[in-house]
Amino acid sequence: MAIIKSPLGKFKGRIGNTVFYDRNGENLVRKKPAPRPLRTEAQKRHAAEFGTIADIRGVANELIQVGFPGGGGLPKGGNGFMKANATGVATAVRKEPGKPLSRRKRATDEFACTVDYTKLRVAGGPLAVPKAKASLNAETGEVVFECEGTRLESVDCFLDDRIIGVVMVCGGYWCLWEEIGTRGGGGRLETDFGLPDPGDTVAAYVFALSADGSSASDSVCVLPPTVWEKGE
């Protein structure tokens, strides 16, 4: 930007890439900004996938603060979640493959994303992954977790580690979790902290969390996405 002082008066308008204008009584000149570059298809696909994972982060934010305490090569909280799920979880495809990309449209306007919830990580860290399983009660919609106890400790496996069960509505509006038991004692949990609506698709995960919450294991999907159709 530059200020113009001329006996010929003030200039307004554009000449080539140069723009003349008034502001606060001064005659100014600046270069016309270059047009926004058109992002490539790969860049827009990545942006759509990143945005989809960020949406899940918004739903599961409270859990993520617990499940990613930092460690195992992952930063704390939301940054750890985004890094853990950066690739292989969300897949974007063109909504209209034969249509040219638009400079004006957002990536999510031109790409649709699917999420592989079996690969989604809701926790991450250096502890050993617990042995557990889960099932969906077709009658009530409750997810039932069962975790095996162990008698052995190691550098990444402690008897007082807490085992956390997570239930998520896929593509939806809530994600809830509760402690199943301890690694040493095992445990069984029938979720009563929230039930899906008939027709919802739910997935379940477990992970270990140290007694003081300073370290976690990677999560594992123990109930792949399952549609709950309420039993009669």
Side-chain angles (χ1 to χ4, degrees):
M1 182 186 71
I3 299 175
I4 301 175
K5 293 183 179 180
S6 170
L8 299 178
K10 295 184 177 181
F11 297 87
K12 290 185 179 181
R14 177 170 61 88
I15 301 176
N17 289 329
T18 303
V19 180
F20 301 89
Y21 62 102
D22 281 332
R23 188 172 67 186
N24 298 327
E26 292 186 316
N27 197 198
L28 308 177
V29 61
R30 62 178 172 81
K31 184 178 180 181
K32 181 182 178 183
R36 183 179 179 182
L38 178 63
R39 290 192 290 180
T40 66
E41 181 169 336
Q43 289 172 324
K44 279 205 166 186
R45 179 180 291 108
H46 175 74
E49 293 170 352
F50 183 90
T52 298
I53 298 301
D55 287 343
I56 298 174
R57 180 182 64 182
V59 172
N61 184 59
E62 291 185 12
L63 166 66
I64 289 167
Q65 301 308 313
V66 175
F68 288 91
L74 296 170
K76 293 177 63 174
N79 290 337
F81 175 80
M82 297 302 295
K83 182 177 180 179
N85 294 288
T87 58
V89 177
T91 303
V93 295
R94 288 280 299 273
K95 293 180 179 179
E96 299 178 274
K99 190 175 181 179
L101 294 174
S102 171
R103 180 177 286 109
R104 298 178 181 273
K105 290 185 177 180
R106 297 175 301 176
T108 51
D109 293 332
E110 297 182 296
F111 288 82
C113 275
T114 57
V115 176
D116 186 344
Y117 282 90
T118 64
K119 295 180 180 179
L120 184 72
R121 290 170 64 184
V122 298
L127 295 182
V129 175
K131 295 180 179 180
K133 59 183 180 180
S135 59
L136 179 65
N137 187 320
E139 186 70 25
T140 65
E142 293 179 326
V143 174
V144 180
F145 292 93
E146 294 180 272
C147 179
E148 297 181 21
T150 182
R151 297 181 180 180
L152 300 177
E153 285 193 337
S154 64
V155 294
D156 60 356
C157 177
F158 303 95
L159 299 184
D160 61 353
D161 289 342
R162 293 174 286 161
I163 309 303
I164 308 299
V166 180
V167 179
M168 178 178 291
V169 172
C170 301
Y173 46 87
W174 60 256
C175 171
L176 300 170
W177 71 97
E178 191 169 317
E179 184 174 323
I180 302 171
T182 63
R183 198 190 293 270
R188 187 176 190 275
L189 172 67
E190 296 185 18
T191 59
D192 58 1
F193 47 76
L195 298 176
D197 294 324
D200 280 347
T201 300
V202 296
Y205 307 84
V206 296
F207 66 93
L209 187 67
S210 63
D212 62 1
S214 65
S215 188
S217 74
D218 288 346
S219 62
V220 60
C221 181
V222 290
L223 178 69
T226 304
V227 179
W228 179 49
E229 298 293 351
K230 186 176 181 180
E232 297 296 332

